[in-house]
Amino acid sequence: AALFWFRWSALFTIIVGNGTAQIKVADKGGIAGVLAFNEGVVGIGVGMWLAIIMAANVWFVIWPNQKRVLGIVPADDAAKAKAGRVGMIASRINTVLSIPMLYCMVMQGSALS
């Protein structure tokens, strides 16, 4: 159940972040300008790329491996052990990336206000 919320909250974060960025930086090229690191929006651009990487990590690495570990997808014991390790490492990577992502977005957001 927890993984359901992690997956969908990652997607929700991307959608809300894109909408907010589009509104806040319309004069700097909008979302395309942010993702291309236009002048004045580099911080939020880095933060958004980190958020996209983290969401992709949840959807395409953590979730498929957790399905094997939980037995939702059939796998032998060796595959389950490997999937558990890969999922754990990917989760830790997301935890580490969350700090610079938050910093970039908050600092850039305060500069745009």
Side-chain angles (χ1 to χ4, degrees):
L3 290 174
F4 172 85
W5 293 107
F6 283 126
R7 285 191 341 257
W8 290 105
S9 58
L11 183 62
F12 181 75
T13 300
I14 295 295
I15 292 168
V16 171
N18 286 345
T20 303
Q22 188 66 36
I23 293 166
K24 286 287 223 177
V25 295
D27 61 328
K28 299 195 186 302
I31 194 71
V34 169
L35 295 176
F37 304 115
N38 282 357
E39 185 177 341
V41 291
V42 172
I44 200 164
V46 170
M48 288 182 72
W49 276 113
L50 289 172
I52 291 168
I53 290 166
M54 291 170 60
N57 201 10
V58 168
W59 278 90
F60 303 119
V61 178
I62 297 170
W63 175 236
N65 283 294
Q66 286 299 319
K67 287 194 295 189
R68 287 184 198 96
V69 171
L70 296 172
I72 297 170
V73 172
D76 61 4
D77 289 340
K80 284 183 182 181
K82 182 180 179 188
R85 178 151 174 77
V86 170
M88 177 192 65
I89 291 170
S91 293
R92 288 183 179 175
I93 288 170
N94 270 14
T95 301
V96 170
L97 290 178
S98 66
I99 297 165
M101 180 208 56
L102 182 62
Y103 176 79
C104 288
M105 290 188 167
V106 168
M107 296 311 291
Q108 183 70 57
S110 62
L112 292 173
S113 297

